[in-house]
Amino acid sequence: MAESGRRVLTRRRVLLGAAALATSACDSSRPREGFLGVMERFNQRAQSALFSPTRLAPEEPVEQLTPPGDFPHYFISDTVPVAPAGWRLEVGGLVSRPRSFSLEELQRLPRTGYRIRHHCVEGWSAVAAWHGVRVSDLARAVGADPRAGFVEFRSFDSGYYSSWDAPSALHAQTLLAYGMNGQPLTPGHGAPLRLYSAVKLGYKMVKYLTTVRFLPEASGGTWEDRGYEWFAGV
């Protein structure tokens, strides 16, 4: 009986220990640790393997455009952020020619546009036509180092930021957009400059840009630091 009792007690301890481990492993305040961290790294490897730098999202027909008033506005500041006086985009990190760009200087770089569907993590989608400069063209303009495997984007929207894997950031359909539906970008959609791409979910597309940095390591993100998926591919 004593030996049997010891076995039962041991099993109970094991079960309690496993439960405690599972609880700590799923602590949402530490999304990069324990079981959550393991699954995040697994998802990132799986999505990276599935990602194709040459695959393009299909263009949507004009009649699929979402009416401007129906395309949701998102920002984390208390009110719509407005660009500070003298706004410029600072570009640095692992680059040979760090510099800042005015909007007019960005507009003199090669212009690219496309009309694709936007996908939000909340489940809705919408279609707009975006135009601006490819991140890959910006990278060439500043001499981005090939060792920079990640790109960080920061904003004046209460410090909102995100970091991307370089292949996604340099994808042909990843833009620094300064226009929407043939018009200059409005404050509600991220003026004067926002990130837009066919290859990521909406929360990765930083609006109200201030800084682009080419980095050797990922730096996280506003929502990613709270447990949202880091790769967030579409």
Side-chain angles (χ1 to χ4, degrees), residues 10-26 35:
T10 300
R11 289 179 188 133
R12 286 175 181 166
R13 284 176 176 165
V14 169
L15 290 173
L16 288 171
L21 178 61
T23 300
S24 64
C26 293
F35 181 71

Side-chain angles (χ1 to χ4, degrees), residues 45 61 67 137 209 212 218:
R45 287 194 298 270
D137 287 328
L209 284 169
V212 176

Side-chain angles (χ1 to χ4, degrees), residues 98-204:
R99 62 172 290 189
S100 67
F101 293 82
S102 68
L103 183 59
E104 292 73 20
E105 289 168 335
L106 289 168
Q107 290 170 337
R108 288 198 288 269
L109 294 175
R111 171 172 159 163
T112 301
Y114 52 66
R115 187 173 55 250
I116 59 171
R117 185 168 295 277
H118 175 98
H119 296 277
C120 179
V121 71
E122 295 175 350
W124 59 266
S125 66
V127 177
W130 305 93
H131 64 268
V133 57
R134 287 189 178 107
V135 174
S136 58
D137 287 328
L138 181 73
R140 279 188 284 273
V142 298
D145 194 313
R147 293 173 297 176
F150 302 89
V151 186
E152 179 190 80
F153 304 91
R154 290 188 174 268
S155 80
F156 57 83
D157 180 16
S158 296
Y160 193 98
Y161 82 108
S162 183
S163 60
W164 290 36
D165 59 295
S168 295
L170 302 178
H171 187 271
Q173 290 178 316
T174 300
L175 300 180
L176 300 180
Y178 46 76
M180 177 182 182
N181 295 335
Q183 301 295 322
L185 203 61
T186 62
H189 288 293
L193 191 71
R194 64 166 292 168
L195 182 63
Y196 197 82
S197 180
V199 301
K200 296 291 189 187
L201 290 171
Y203 65 87
K204 299 291 288 186

